Amino acid sequence: MPTPPTIVIKKNSRHRGHHTGAWKVAYADFVTAMMALFIVLWLLNSSKQVQDAVGGYFRDPTGTAKKAGSNQNGSAENIKLTKENMNKLKEELQKSIRSISDLEKLRKNIEITVIAEGLRIELLESAKGTFFESGSSRLNENGKEMLVLLAQDLSSVPNHVSIEGHTDAKPYGERANYSNWELSADRANAARRIMQQAGLRQDQVSQVRGFADQRLRNAVDPFDASNRRISIIVQYLTSPADEDEKSAASAAEAANASPESGDQAPAENAAEKNKADDYFSSA
């Protein structure tokens, strides 16, 4: 009987490469794309403040671009805000305000000027109320957004800030215990709270003042809506030249003091003492 032939079965293993981990890469790309999609959808439904914060991070991840006047290394020019260069801060603030498209309609209610005390930023009210609710110290959304923007810019400078509240000459309602004095002070204090929450340093605010209608912006029309305003004043830093000038003035004043007056003082005191002794001895 013949021997049956040997049957050899060969398995083809050339297609095993399809079962490697290459699919994981494609899946990871898909998950990443879905995550990016959901982040975009979340941002589209977020508030303007959140959108600006996220956008600011991607524009400046290190957060040092606006560290002007500090020891941080940022893209901004280091500015020591004295009388000689306060205009640089004015330009930076105007640039920041122009970059916010939502505040386009409010630009006519924002006035920035260099004055003897420093840089003054004024938020002017309109007849319908621009930054505050009418007759109240409560800030509306426009007021909060503007003060947050200003606080973020001013927090990076070493200068002190004073905040003033002003009203028009129209008496405040019928409340006997609340007047334009209280309203102006409360509005200034409300602005301080928002700005410090947004980044203004606790020791940066030097004064919070309420002037009621005593410093009218439009004195011709005391009831004009622009008289109702908040003034934020960035005070000058004293430069070395100012210090030298002040020291020289003090030295000159001391040098000009008459030496004769110093000699006369003991003599006058002695004469007064002798008169007093004579009086008591005669009594």
Side-chain angles (χ1 to χ4, degrees):
M1 183 175 181
T3 304
T6 303
I7 300 174
V8 178
I9 300 174
K10 295 183 178 180
K11 295 182 178 181
N12 190 353
S13 60
R14 288 180 298 176
H15 299 288
R16 289 183 179 178
H18 291 290
H19 300 287
T20 60
W23 65 273
K24 297 179 182 179
V25 178
Y27 180 72
D29 291 341
F30 171 75
V31 172
T32 303
M34 291 299 295
M35 182 181 67
L37 173 63
F38 285 121
I39 290 176
V40 171
L41 293 176
W42 169 70
L43 283 174
L44 289 176
N45 290 278
S46 300
S47 65
K48 182 64 178 177
Q49 186 175 355
V50 172
Q51 293 177 6
D52 292 340
V54 175
Y57 172 79
F58 284 102
R59 288 192 298 269
D60 180 29
T62 60
T64 58
K66 290 186 178 180
K67 296 294 184 180
S70 68
N71 59 357
Q72 302 289 332
N73 294 323
S75 59
E77 181 183 0
N78 289 334
I79 303 174
K80 185 178 180 181
L81 300 173
T82 61
K83 294 182 179 180
E84 291 76 19
N85 58 6
M86 186 62 81
N87 281 318
K88 292 184 178 180
L89 177 61
K90 177 182 178 180
E91 294 171 1
E92 289 293 329
L93 291 175
Q94 290 174 334
K95 183 178 178 181
S96 297
I97 294 172
R98 286 194 298 267
S99 66
I100 306 299
S101 58
D102 288 354
L103 299 180
E104 175 71 27
K105 59 184 179 181
L106 303 179
R107 290 181 187 173
K108 62 181 181 180
N109 296 88
I110 303 169
E111 187 178 274
I112 304 177
T113 53
V114 177
I115 59 175
E117 193 175 348
L119 182 69
R120 183 178 63 195
I121 308 159
E122 289 196 307
L123 308 183
L124 310 175
E125 290 292 319
S126 62
K128 296 181 179 179
T130 305
F131 302 103
F132 286 89
E133 296 181 10
S134 181
S136 171
S137 62
R138 288 189 297 271
L139 286 153
N140 57 28
E141 290 303 318
N142 291 332
K144 292 177 182 178
E145 190 172 357
M146 176 55 64
L147 289 173
V148 167
L149 174 67
L150 293 174
Q152 291 173 347
D153 285 333
L154 297 179
S155 63
S156 60
V157 300
N159 302 60
H160 284 96
V161 174
S162 62
I163 304 174
E164 300 175 352
H166 303 268
T167 68
D168 57 17
K170 183 179 180 180
Y172 182 85
E174 299 178 355
R175 293 172 57 182
N177 60 346
Y178 198 88
S179 65
N180 284 333
W181 287 105
E182 285 79 12
L183 179 61
S184 61
D186 288 347
R187 285 188 169 185
N189 211 25
R192 174 198 61 79
R193 283 193 294 268
I194 290 293
M195 296 186 73
Q196 288 187 330
Q197 291 171 4
L200 209 64
R201 300 187 305 276
Q202 294 295 321
D203 62 344
Q204 195 170 0
V205 178
S206 61
Q207 293 177 326
V208 178
R209 302 179 285 192
F211 288 100
D213 59 345
Q214 297 304 300
R215 295 188 178 183
L216 295 173
R217 183 175 181 272
N218 183 4
V220 177
D221 184 3
F223 301 102
D224 184 48
S226 65
N227 289 319
R228 304 194 303 266
R229 65 199 189 277
I230 288 292
S231 299
I232 302 165
I233 301 174
V234 185
Q235 300 169 351
Y236 288 125
L237 283 179
T238 305
S239 65
D242 294 335
E243 290 289 348
D244 294 342
E245 183 178 351
K246 186 176 180 180
S247 300
S250 300
E253 184 178 354
N256 291 333
S258 175
E260 295 180 357
S261 61
D263 295 338
Q264 290 175 356
E268 291 176 354
N269 292 336
E272 292 293 333
K273 184 178 179 181
N274 292 334
K275 290 181 180 179
D277 292 340
D278 294 340
Y279 174 80
F280 286 110
S281 61
S282 61

